[in-house]
Amino acid sequence: MRHRPIYLDAHATTPVDPQVLAAMLPYFTEQFGNPASGGHVYGWEAEAAVQQARESLAAAINADPQEIVFTSGATEANNLAIKGVAEAYCAKGRHLITVVTEHRAVLDPYAYLQTLGFETTLLPVTATGLVNLAQLAQAIRPDTLLVSVMAANNEIGVIQPLAQIGAICHRHGVFFHTDAAQAIGKIPLDVAAMQIDLMSLTAHKIYGAKGIGALYVRRKNPRVQLAAQLHGGGQERGLRSGTLYTPQIVGFAKAVELSLATLASETERIQTLRDRLWQQLQAIEGIQLNGDPTQRLVNNLNVSIPGIDGAALMLGLQPTMAVSSGSACSTGKAAPSHVLTAIGRSPALAAASLRIGISRFTTREEIDQSAQIIIDTVQALRQATIKGSVGSRIF
Ligand SMILES: *Cc1c(COP(=O)(O)O)cnc(C)c1O
């Protein structure tokens, strides 16, 4: 096989850990039963495996197993939480709050609810990407149903003050939802201490498989009612119909267990790598950090590099490094990241940015090589720009 580019895009997805895969494999073949089949041992085995995974996941976030609803990932969990609350409580109020820097899987359900007549408030963030707590408290109205603030940002890694947000929400009697897709397994999450009512999770950012996630739904103090968004066989207490995906669920729990078991050592190791990379990148004149210097995921580095073309930078890095840029081209045409523009970056600086996500499998050698590749590529591009501008002056 040809030499593959260094993978530094862990916020997009991660490979399945071999230990996770090993835990999943028996449930594809010998233990393939449907957890809903109550009449034979195949069903019982699968049901027992799902139950064990449910208990493990609940324990990881200090919840009750009955408060876990398995979904296809964080996108579905966000949709169930947001649309589910809006639909269940629309007689009580029609106002919902979130933040400009949320993932599209939160912003788009909010935009959709607006078309149905709900009112939404999108809070701004500070220059480092944090929510202003006083502004949040002020935005809450008597008819507010829900506040949705992500735990950690997928572009700039900013970690929001969840416990303080939870306290504000509960003081005002509104539900608090958090999209914890980037946070689970990377920072401690405690739904009781943080007063979280709904929390979206996914497996594939922490070395689990794609296509599996969960929504935590609080059952008491306060009890959260949700309107189901998928109707059918009545699985997950009617909240999410569809045959449970046993192998993915077992792997999801294993992935969270592994991440939490190694949390302290991995946090330190990965932070050391991240700080080493940032230190080396200081060789690039004018390089700027995007996001908060301290309130951020240790595996995240997001930088803007003035004076270069973002598309040219990505093109230059592609053969040797897999990273993300600050322009989302999900629809084919590049637009500057809404997160980077929200923290005040110009469209040019947002486009000339790199999102680097370090993983469990990243080595120090890869970090050092990456630093050199980025430095060399930027230097080559800047020289080409100088030559180009000299040339255009001559001709
Ligand atoms: C990846 C991600 C999602 C989407 O999760 P899926 O499981 O891929 O649907 C949602 N929110 C955030 C913050 C993410 O990073």
Side-chain angles (χ1 to χ4, degrees):
M1 200 165 71
R2 272 193 60 233
H3 206 62
R4 307 259 286 157
I6 298 168
Y7 189 77
L8 285 178
D9 203 10
H11 301 296
T13 195
T14 55
V16 171
D17 189 291
Q19 294 181 70
V20 170
L21 180 63
M24 292 170 69
L25 283 177
Y27 295 95
F28 285 105
T29 50
E30 291 86 24
Q31 289 162 264
F32 63 88
N34 185 331
S37 300
H40 49 71
V41 69
Y42 297 90
W44 305 334
E45 283 168 356
E47 166 57 18
V50 167
Q51 182 55 25
Q52 202 183 354
R54 198 185 294 283
E55 283 169 16
S56 167
L57 282 167
I61 58 169
N62 195 19
D64 186 275
Q66 291 186 73
E67 297 176 313
I68 303 292
V69 176
F70 288 111
T71 65
S72 63
T75 300
E76 189 191 333
N78 287 342
N79 273 268
L80 176 56
I82 295 162
K83 295 178 194 167
V85 161
E87 198 182 325
Y89 293 93
C90 60
K92 186 175 165 250
R94 311 206 107 216
H95 179 237
L96 308 128
I97 299 171
T98 188
V99 183
V100 287
T101 48
E102 292 291 313
H103 193 275
R104 292 245 69 91
V106 165
L107 294 176
D108 287 2
Y110 267 69
Y112 170 72
L113 288 174
Q114 241 181 328
T115 69
L116 300 185
F118 288 87
E119 276 184 77
T120 62
T121 299
L122 261 61
L123 296 171
V125 292
T126 67
T128 66
L130 286 160
V131 168
N132 179 320
L133 295 172
Q135 248 172 1
L136 167 64
Q138 253 172 7
I140 298 175
R141 320 189 307 210
D143 62 339
T144 305
L145 300 177
L146 181 72
V147 169
S148 184
V149 180
M150 71 203 314
N153 186 273
N154 50 298
E155 291 190 36
I156 55 176
V158 167
I159 300 168
Q160 300 293 353
L162 298 181
Q164 285 158 283
I165 295 168
I168 290 170
C169 290
H170 280 198
R171 193 156 63 239
H172 290 83
V174 304
F175 293 133
F176 173 32
H177 167 251
T178 189
D179 175 350
Q182 295 286 345
I184 180 75
K186 303 207 191 94
I187 59 169
L189 292 172
D190 182 324
V191 293
M194 294 168 164
Q195 301 187 57
I196 294 165
D197 301 312
L198 296 143
M199 180 157 70
S200 301
L201 306 173
T202 191
H204 75 97
K205 312 278 172 76
I206 47 159
Y207 319 98
K210 293 165 190 64
I212 187 69
L215 180 66
Y216 157 77
V217 186
R218 179 177 287 281
R219 275 169 69 90
K220 55 175 196 271
N221 307 317
R223 181 183 182 88
V224 183
Q225 315 264 17
L226 287 181
Q229 303 298 307
L230 272 184
H231 305 94
Q235 289 89 345
E236 299 301 81
R237 297 171 307 286
L239 282 176
R240 203 283 187 178
S241 287
T243 301
L244 288 170
Y245 201 175
T246 314
Q248 314 297 78
I249 289 170
V250 168
F252 181 17
K254 182 72 179 176
V256 172
E257 286 162 22
L258 276 179
S259 296
L260 293 184
T262 56
L263 186 63
S265 58
E266 276 297 272
T267 298
E268 195 189 316
R269 188 187 75 87
I270 290 177
Q271 176 158 10
T272 302
L273 291 182
R274 195 268 314 274
D275 293 348
R276 183 181 175 90
L277 180 58
W278 175 231
Q279 203 52 47
Q280 294 182 44
L281 292 181
Q282 298 307 306
I284 298 171
E285 201 191 320
I287 192 166
Q288 296 170 23
L289 182 71
N290 294 318
D292 202 87
T294 58
Q295 299 302 109
R296 81 188 294 145
L297 296 172
V298 295
N299 75 326
N300 176 275
L301 189 62
N302 192 311
V303 297
S304 279
I305 302 169
I308 57 158
D309 176 53
L313 176 62
M314 283 304 287
L315 212 61
L317 295 177
Q318 252 167 37
T320 45
M321 276 182 75
V323 291
S324 264
S325 76
S327 57
C329 40
S330 50
T331 53
K333 61 173 191 244
S337 144
H338 70 285
V339 174
L340 296 180
T341 48
I343 61 169
R345 292 296 184 220
S346 66
L349 268 184
S353 72
L354 294 176
R355 177 187 74 172
I356 292 161
I358 299 170
S359 91
R360 176 178 294 166
F361 303 107
T362 307
T363 64
R364 203 176 73 164
E365 290 67 40
E366 287 178 318
I367 289 294
D368 291 351
Q369 283 168 17
S370 301
Q372 205 50 55
I373 292 165
I374 297 169
I375 292 165
D376 291 348
T377 308
V378 169
Q379 197 171 20
L381 284 172
R382 281 182 172 168
Q383 270 166 5
T385 309
I386 292 165
K387 277 197 202 119
S389 60
V390 169
S392 63
R393 234 176 280 143
I394 292 169
F395 297 106

